[in-house]
C-alpha cells in the first residue's frame, strides 16, 4: 500500500466573499465560487446579474470592495504578477490597438510578457493560421478593420499566447460564425484535455450545455446554483432551470397588441 500523500490541485478559480459596490448599488454580493482544476465551467445569468463584474475582479481588472480571488491558488490582488502568468483573459468589450495587424499585436503582446522572440514568432504564426486570420495578416489588415468575430479570435490568441493554466472568457462566441465556432471549441477542448481550465460567461444556454461540464447560475450578484451540469439542471433543460431561478416577466395579452397590426 502506498502511504505517500496525494496532493489535491488548487482550484482553477476561487472566489470567497467577493463583493463590489458602486455607491449604494451592490453589483456583486459576497459571492463564493469554486472552479475545479481541469473543468470547462460555464457562468450564466441575466443581464445585470454581476457576471462580468465578478469575473473582472477575479482576473485583476477591477478591485473588489471586499473578498478574495485566487487563480490556480495565487491571490490575484496580493500577487498579481504571478496570478497573471497563469491566466489568459478575453474580457467583454476588449479594447485592442487599432493600428497594428494581428501578427504585430501578438508580437507586441509576447514581448510585453518577456517571451523569447522565436517562441512568439512561431506561436503567433500558428495561432493566426488555426484561427483563420492568416489571410488578413498577409493582406496587412489592421485590427481596427477586423470584424467583431475576428476581434474575438485575435483576443483569444492573445489569451493563449503565453500558455496559461486558466482561461477566463467573457462571451467568446459572440458574433463568431459557425465554422469559426467549431474551431474555437476544438481549441478549448484541447486546452482542457491537456490539463487547463476554462471559465466561460455566456447568455446562450444551449452553448453552455454543449461545452461545459460544470455551471453556475448568477442572480443579483450571488451564485444561486452551482455544480455539475446535471446537478444544476436537476432533470430539466438548463434554460428552464435558469428561468425558474431568475424569474420570467409577465407579458399581458393586451400589451404591445399594436405590433400585430
Amino acid at each position: 500500500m502506498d502511504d505517500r500523500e496525494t496532493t489535491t490541485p488548487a482550484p482553477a478559480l476561487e472566489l470567497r466573499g467577493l463583493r463590489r459596490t458602486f455607491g449604494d448599488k451592490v453589483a456583486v454580493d459576497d459571492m463564493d465560487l469554486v472552479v475545479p482544476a481541469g473543468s470547462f465551467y460555464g457562468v450564466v445569468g441575466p443581464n445585470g446579474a454581476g457576471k462580468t463584474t465578478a469575473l473582472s475582479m477575479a482576473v485583476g481588472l477591477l478591485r473588489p470592495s471586499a473578498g478574495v480571488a485566487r487563480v490556480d491558488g495565487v491571490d490575484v490582488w496580493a500577487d498579481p504578477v504571478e496570478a497573471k502568468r497563469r491566466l489568459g483573459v478575453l474580457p467583454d468589450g476588449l479594447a485592442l490597438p487599432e493600428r497594428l495587424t494581428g501578427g504585430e499585436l501578438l508580437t507586441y503582446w509576447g514581448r510585453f510578457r518577456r517571451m523569447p522572440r522565436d517562441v512568439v514568432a512561431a506561436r503567433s504564426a500558428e495561432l493566426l493560421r488555426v484561427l483563420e486570420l492568416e489571410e488578413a495578416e498577409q493582406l496587412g489588415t489592421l485590427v481596427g478593420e477586423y470584424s467583431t468575430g475576428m476581434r474575438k479570435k485575435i483576443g483569444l490568441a492573445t489569451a493563449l499566447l503565453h500558455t496559461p493554466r486558466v482561461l477566463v472568457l467573457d462571451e467568446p462566441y459572440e458574433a463568431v460564425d459557425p465554422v469559426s465556432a467549431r474551431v474555437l471549441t476544438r481549441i478549448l477542448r484541447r486546452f482542457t484535455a491537456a490539463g487547463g481550465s476554462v471559465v466561460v460567461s455566456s447568455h446562450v444556454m444551449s452553448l453552455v450545455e454543449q461545452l461545459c461540464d460544470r455551471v453556475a447560475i448568477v442572480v443579483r450578484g450571488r451564485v444561486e446554483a452551482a455544480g455539475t451540469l446535471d446537478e444544476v439542471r436537476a432533470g430539466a433543460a438548463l434554460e428552464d432551470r435558469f428561468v425558474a431561478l431568475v424569474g420570467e416577466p409577465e407579458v399581458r395579452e393586451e400589451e404591445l397588441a399594436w405590433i400585430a397590426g
Side-chain angles (χ1 to χ4, degrees):
M1 182 176 175
D2 192 344
D3 293 327
R4 289 175 298 180
E5 291 186 4
T6 58
T7 57
T8 302
L13 186 67
E14 183 180 10
L15 311 181
R16 296 293 184 187
L18 205 63
R19 184 176 183 85
R20 177 68 193 196
T21 58
F22 296 96
D24 295 333
K25 177 179 172 57
V26 179
V28 177
D29 189 7
D30 298 330
M31 182 183 291
D32 291 330
L33 180 67
V34 177
V35 176
S39 61
F40 205 134
Y41 205 105
V43 179
V44 300
N47 291 328
K51 304 185 303 300
T52 295
T53 301
L55 292 180
S56 295
M57 291 189 286
V59 301
L61 295 176
L62 178 66
R63 185 172 291 277
S65 303
V68 175
R70 299 186 183 92
V71 172
D72 199 26
V74 179
D75 190 311
V76 172
W77 291 97
D79 192 355
V81 173
E82 181 57 35
K84 289 173 184 177
R85 285 196 183 103
R86 303 169 186 232
L87 184 63
V89 181
L90 177 61
D92 186 37
L94 175 64
L96 297 169
E98 304 285 293
R99 303 300 299 172
L100 300 178
T101 68
E104 290 169 343
L105 171 59
L106 291 174
T107 299
Y108 167 78
W109 196 250
R111 297 302 297 149
F112 179 76
R113 286 185 172 273
R114 299 182 180 179
M115 296 170 60
R117 291 182 184 274
D118 57 338
V119 172
V120 173
R123 290 183 183 176
S124 296
E126 190 170 11
L127 283 164
L128 290 171
R129 179 180 56 79
V130 171
L131 290 169
E132 301 172 312
L133 296 172
E134 191 174 40
E135 183 179 353
E137 185 64 20
Q138 292 170 350
L139 293 171
T141 306
L142 301 178
V143 170
E145 300 168 340
Y146 275 15
S147 67
T148 302
M150 292 169 71
R151 292 173 74 91
K152 286 285 185 180
K153 289 193 284 186
I154 197 64
L156 179 62
T158 65
L160 288 167
L161 185 65
H162 62 291
T163 59
R165 297 293 303 153
V166 182
L167 285 175
V168 177
L169 312 175
D170 200 347
E171 298 288 354
Y173 288 83
E174 183 182 33
V176 175
D177 66 80
V179 174
S180 296
R182 289 195 176 193
V183 172
L184 297 189
T185 298
R186 286 199 297 270
I187 292 170
L188 296 179
R189 289 200 185 284
R190 184 172 180 181
F191 182 80
T192 55
S197 309
V198 177
V199 181
V200 172
S201 170
S202 179
H203 290 96
V204 184
M205 299 298 141
S206 59
L207 176 69
V208 172
E209 285 188 292
Q210 176 189 341
L211 291 177
C212 301
D213 51 72
R214 290 177 174 268
V215 65
I217 298 177
V218 177
V219 183
R220 293 180 289 277
R222 299 179 69 89
V223 175
E224 291 295 333
T228 66
L229 188 59
D230 286 340
E231 287 170 347
V232 173
R233 288 189 298 195
L238 182 60
E239 183 174 338
D240 293 336
R241 180 73 168 132
F242 175 88
V243 172
L245 287 170
V246 172
E248 185 173 9
E250 181 183 355
V251 179
R252 296 190 298 273
E253 287 293 329
E254 65 273 17
E255 291 182 318
L256 301 181
W258 52 269
I259 64 174

